[in-house]
Amino acid sequence: AAATTAAAADVESGAPPPVTWRELRAEDLPSLRRLDDHLFPVKYTDSFYRRLLSDGYFVVVAVAPSAEVVAVASARTVRYEDGGPNPTNDAYIMTLGVRDTFRRHRLGTKALQLLIQLLRERTDCVAAELHVKAENAGAMTFYKRFGFEIDPEHGFSRDHYYIEGHNYHAFYMRYSFVPRRNRWCTLL
């Protein structure tokens, strides 16, 4: 509990670091790759980074005055055709991360907010989805606070990740862009 209180005080007391939020640019790619290498156990390929600048991919970055990318949120659009009359478009959130020295200033929250806003404005997606390692309680709490829910049908993915010789389970979470209807309105 003391660590939680200290972390909350850190967020409240420190001024947020100066960053510029923007969509990813080609000149950001080397810095983004360094950040990803630092944050994620997965090493992304050159083709992954090239695709980030193509149609159907959306990337929001926070750039420090040094021109280093210090936070990222990325997604791609996915079309689901289940054989029904109405295929759906969703956005799959691929990465969300903040450099260690810039954490505790709500940059992750801001990155996710900006990415969701971008997806709502520029796509016909009905939801955002992602996977999170089952053992990552902090990330689960973060996404739930934001409004993501564990999908009741596909919520648990056994051995979803294979990282450094080990399998990890994951939860599949969704955030609907469509506001829930107030159940009282349907009674009128």
Side-chain angles (χ1 to χ4, degrees), residues 5 13 18 21-23 28 30 48 51 71 85 87 96 116 119 122 128 133 139 147 150 167 170-172 178-179 183:
T5 304
S13 66
W21 291 97
R22 66 179 187 224
E23 286 188 68
D28 297 325
F48 171 83
R51 282 193 311 267
L96 175 66
I116 296 290
L119 292 166
R122 303 231 312 257
K133 282 172 59 178
I150 296 173
N167 289 315
F171 285 105
Y172 171 71
V178 180
R183 65 185 183 102

Side-chain angles (χ1 to χ4, degrees), residues 80-88:
Y80 293 111
E81 308 236 8
D82 62 2
N86 300 314
T88 63

Side-chain angles (χ1 to χ4, degrees), residues 24 27-40 42-50 52 68-69 72 99:
L24 182 70
E27 62 265 22
D28 297 325
L29 289 175
S31 179
L32 176 60
R33 184 173 221 144
R34 287 190 297 275
L35 178 67
D36 287 352
D37 286 346
H38 175 75
L39 293 176
F40 306 118
V42 175
K43 299 305 171 211
Y44 297 106
T45 64
D46 291 340
S47 65
F48 171 83
Y49 290 100
R50 283 192 300 273
L52 293 178
E68 278 295 304
V69 174
V72 61
R99 182 169 292 287

Side-chain angles (χ1 to χ4, degrees), residues 7-140:
D10 180 37
V11 170
E12 293 170 6
S13 66
V19 296
T20 301
W21 291 97
R22 66 179 187 224
E23 286 188 68
L24 182 70
R25 300 176 184 166
E27 62 265 22
D28 297 325
L29 289 175
S31 179
L32 176 60
R33 184 173 221 144
R34 287 190 297 275
L35 178 67
D36 287 352
D37 286 346
H38 175 75
L39 293 176
F40 306 118
V42 175
K43 299 305 171 211
Y44 297 106
T45 64
D46 291 340
S47 65
F48 171 83
Y49 290 100
R50 283 192 300 273
R51 282 193 311 267
L52 293 178
L53 298 170
S54 63
D55 289 341
Y57 287 78
F58 300 88
V59 184
V60 175
V61 294
V63 181
S66 65
E68 278 295 304
V69 174
V70 297
V72 61
S74 67
R76 62 182 167 81
T77 55
V78 180
R79 184 169 176 84
Y80 293 111
E81 308 236 8
D82 62 2
N86 300 314
T88 63
N89 289 333
D90 288 344
Y92 186 82
I93 297 177
M94 301 180 299
T95 61
L96 175 66
V98 178
R99 182 169 292 287
D100 305 11
T101 54
F102 283 78
R103 290 184 183 160
R104 312 288 340 145
H105 295 285
R106 304 198 187 285
L107 296 183
T109 299
K110 180 74 171 179
L112 187 55
Q113 288 171 337
L114 291 171
L115 182 65
I116 296 290
Q117 178 183 341
L118 188 65
L119 292 166
R120 281 184 161 165
E121 291 172 356
R122 303 231 312 257
T123 73
D124 60 352
C125 293
V126 297
E129 57 189 22
L130 56 83
H131 285 91
V132 62
K133 282 172 59 178
E135 64 190 35
N136 192 342
M140 294 284 295

